Amino acid sequence: MPELPEVETVRRGLVKVLVGRELVGVDIRDGRLTAPADPTAVAHELLGAVVTGVGRRGKYLAVGLDDGRTLVCHLRMTGWFHHVTELSERPHLRAVFHLDDGTWLLYSDQRRFGTMRLIAAGGLEDYWRGRVGPEPLDGVWTAPQLRAALRGRTAPVKALLLDQRIVAGVGNIYADEALWEARVHPLTPGGRLGAVRAARVHDAVIAVLERGIDAQGASIDTYRSVDGTPGSMQVRFNVFDRAGEPCPRCGSVIVKTRVAQRGTYLCPRCTPRP
Ligand SMILES: [Zn+2]
């Protein structure tokens, strides 16, 4: 599932092909994408719009239009934007955008959990409220802020990092990588993290997300960038998807367990169970 680094890589790809382009043809083929809005109505609304920018909030993409509206997209499990110069049918194609330079932006989604919502001008902040919390890479998010968000919480710190309202954009991969880096067991109750460990987790979240962006994301499943190239973060994982392999820090065998209903990778020596 794409997390912040993958979505940021997609955003950068979309900026290159979409900004300044007019949508001269829009075909949304799957009602689940725009539900509860009617896909034909949304396609009609988008027709003729010019893209002014592509932003990101957590794992959401925000395609800005010239009349102030925003198309907010979430890739969920298997959503994928692919820019092509010739239109061709392909499996799981859910939406087709024809651009005024003659190229095409295709949206495929095998599992069909992805969403597109057209937000009215001025409505974006309301849309984010309650959905996404602080943006980890904006330079404003601080360790004390994270510690305050975890204070009193008995849920495992991993579950709390996956809560998009505590910090936006972290998913299963980068949560495991960050907690390993911070030497904190994923089951540690959030409220038990003092200032020192909360700061380590905060710094590690930022570090692993930046590393992920540098690697253009992790392609362990269907994720590809907009031009079709895979990311390379998967070869730089320290613990994720590496059960049975040696921990890069201490050499102990990495184990896979379950935390917050998610497959979780950790080093039992670097991060002893609380
Ligand atoms: Zn270790």
Side-chain angles (χ1 to χ4, degrees), residues 7-273:
V7 177
E8 176 61 20
T9 305
V10 170
R11 186 193 72 79
R12 292 175 183 187
L14 289 177
V15 164
K16 283 187 204 156
V17 302
L18 272 187
V19 174
R21 297 270 70 85
E22 181 185 345
L23 306 178
V24 295
V26 180
D27 177 14
I28 300 176
R29 302 175 174 187
D30 185 357
R32 274 179 62 166
L33 204 49
T34 57
D38 176 65
T40 312
V42 173
H44 186 76
E45 291 268 329
L46 288 171
L47 200 61
V50 175
V51 176
T52 54
V54 184
R56 179 189 57 72
R57 249 325 242 120
K59 302 180 203 171
Y60 290 89
L61 291 160
V63 179
L65 306 175
D66 57 335
D67 61 1
R69 293 177 304 167
T70 308
L71 184 67
V72 173
C73 309
H74 200 302
L75 305 171
R76 300 289 171 194
M77 305 283 289
T78 55
W80 178 34
F81 281 109
H82 191 189
H83 183 245
V84 293
T85 52
E86 270 177 48
L87 180 60
S88 62
E89 282 305 315
R90 57 193 65 210
H92 318 300
L93 193 55
R94 309 296 180 203
V96 176
F97 302 87
H98 194 197
L99 311 180
D100 65 347
D101 61 357
T103 65
W104 306 81
L105 184 68
L106 310 181
Y107 177 80
S108 314
D109 194 344
Q110 184 180 351
R111 302 281 301 273
R112 300 174 65 212
F113 289 115
T115 57
M116 291 186 189
R117 299 270 182 279
L118 191 54
I119 308 297
L124 203 52
E125 282 312 310
D126 267 352
Y127 188 79
W128 299 142
R129 198 165 298 128
R131 282 188 172 87
V132 271
E135 198 61 42
L137 302 183
D138 67 359
V140 176
W141 185 56
T142 64
Q145 234 177 304
L146 174 64
R147 192 186 174 204
L150 300 179
R151 189 167 293 138
R153 302 293 296 267
T154 54
V157 62
K158 175 167 177 180
L160 295 168
L161 286 181
L162 296 178
D163 180 342
Q164 299 301 296
R165 293 163 300 181
I166 288 182
V167 56
V170 176
N172 204 38
I173 293 176
Y174 294 93
D176 283 5
E177 290 291 310
L179 290 170
W180 176 84
E181 189 134 325
R183 281 168 284 132
V184 171
H185 192 287
L187 279 175
T188 310
R192 276 231 238 129
L193 291 189
V196 172
R197 286 200 298 170
R200 283 213 310 258
V201 171
H202 166 270
D203 294 355
V205 164
I206 291 173
V208 299
L209 293 175
E210 285 181 342
R211 211 176 298 150
I213 292 172
D214 283 347
Q216 299 194 293
S219 289
I220 46 169
D221 40 38
T222 57
Y223 162 75
R224 295 288 182 278
S225 65
V226 172
D227 64 7
T229 53
S232 63
M233 184 62 186
Q234 64 280 7
V235 303
R236 297 167 72 176
F237 289 156
N238 286 310
V239 282
F240 189 83
D241 208 19
R242 300 194 60 171
E245 295 180 41
C247 166
R249 192 161 45 208
C250 76
S252 297
V253 176
I254 293 164
V255 299
K256 183 181 184 185
T257 175
R258 244 176 140 66
V259 177
Q261 292 89 48
R262 308 293 297 274
T264 296
Y265 299 85
L266 58 88
C267 169
R269 188 155 155 211
C270 289
T271 58
R273 204 185 156 113

